[in-house]
Amino acid sequence: MAKPAEGHNEGTVPHHKLHETAHVVGAGTTGSKVFNIDEIPDMSSHHDGRRKRVLLNTLNTGSAMLVDILAYAPGGTSPLHRHRGTEHFFYVLEGRGSIVISDVPHPLRAGSVVWIAEGEVHKVFADKDSPLVFLEYFSAGQHETDFIETACAWQPGSKG
């Protein structure tokens, strides 16, 4: 579970509990589900204004994995951090930026794929003139995040 930011708002939610349920528009016979992105609540980062929509987690699918879409405004960044108890990867959908992994910067653009090993320290940056949007997958939604910089706390926003 992520460490809360100092003085965090009572409305903040742990990372793996960010999305309770979206309207299910289809389902399989063994629990498969279909959602529409515009039906999924929008979340905002307590400290930096990033936006997130949690697509899949234990609350809406029963699966241990966590999948979300993150959107950074031009010049936006994540805090420097690492995850314990999960590996994750992301696929850049649009924009440009960079990721610093263990003090080494790597450019990002639409089509970039990044895999982060458990415990690897990293930070994401959107270029100053470009938003950055990516699909992110965690192998275990319930994991711990150690923030080296100001902790991130996600707050419910609005749908659409």
Side-chain angles (χ1 to χ4, degrees), residues 2-157:
K3 294 177 184 175
E6 280 188 37
H8 77 281
N9 183 319
E10 290 284 325
T12 61
V13 191
H15 199 206
H16 66 282
K17 293 184 178 179
L18 289 176
H19 170 56
E20 294 190 17
T21 25
H23 179 71
V24 176
V25 297
T29 57
T30 61
S32 300
K33 297 178 182 176
V34 178
F35 305 95
N36 287 325
I37 190 76
D38 61 350
E39 301 270 339
I40 296 173
D42 192 44
M43 309 295 289
S44 64
S45 171
H46 183 68
H47 90 285
D48 59 22
R50 288 175 297 145
R51 312 287 303 166
K52 174 184 291 219
R53 288 180 192 245
V54 175
L55 305 179
L56 307 171
N57 68 2
T58 58
L59 296 176
N60 69 356
T61 64
S63 173
M65 69 181 167
L66 170 67
V67 180
D68 55 46
I69 291 181
L70 262 101
Y72 290 58
T77 68
S78 70
L80 187 64
H81 65 285
R82 73 177 139 243
H83 304 286
R84 289 187 286 139
T86 192
E87 301 169 328
H88 77 288
F89 81 88
F90 58 86
Y91 175 76
V92 178
L93 299 169
E94 65 180 80
R96 293 179 319 279
S98 61
I99 184 166
V100 174
I101 302 172
S102 294
D103 297 324
V104 178
H106 304 276
L108 298 174
R109 61 177 170 79
S112 294
V113 176
V114 177
W115 177 72
I116 305 292
E118 180 180 353
E120 191 84 59
V121 175
H122 58 286
K123 180 174 183 164
V124 177
F125 298 85
D127 283 357
K128 291 196 183 305
D129 63 346
S130 175
L132 183 65
V133 179
F134 56 89
L135 180 70
E136 182 175 47
Y137 168 86
F138 291 86
S139 60
Q142 293 191 34
H143 60 271
E144 292 190 26
T145 301
D146 297 322
F147 290 99
I148 297 149
E149 297 177 338
T150 302
C152 173
W154 294 95
Q155 298 176 312

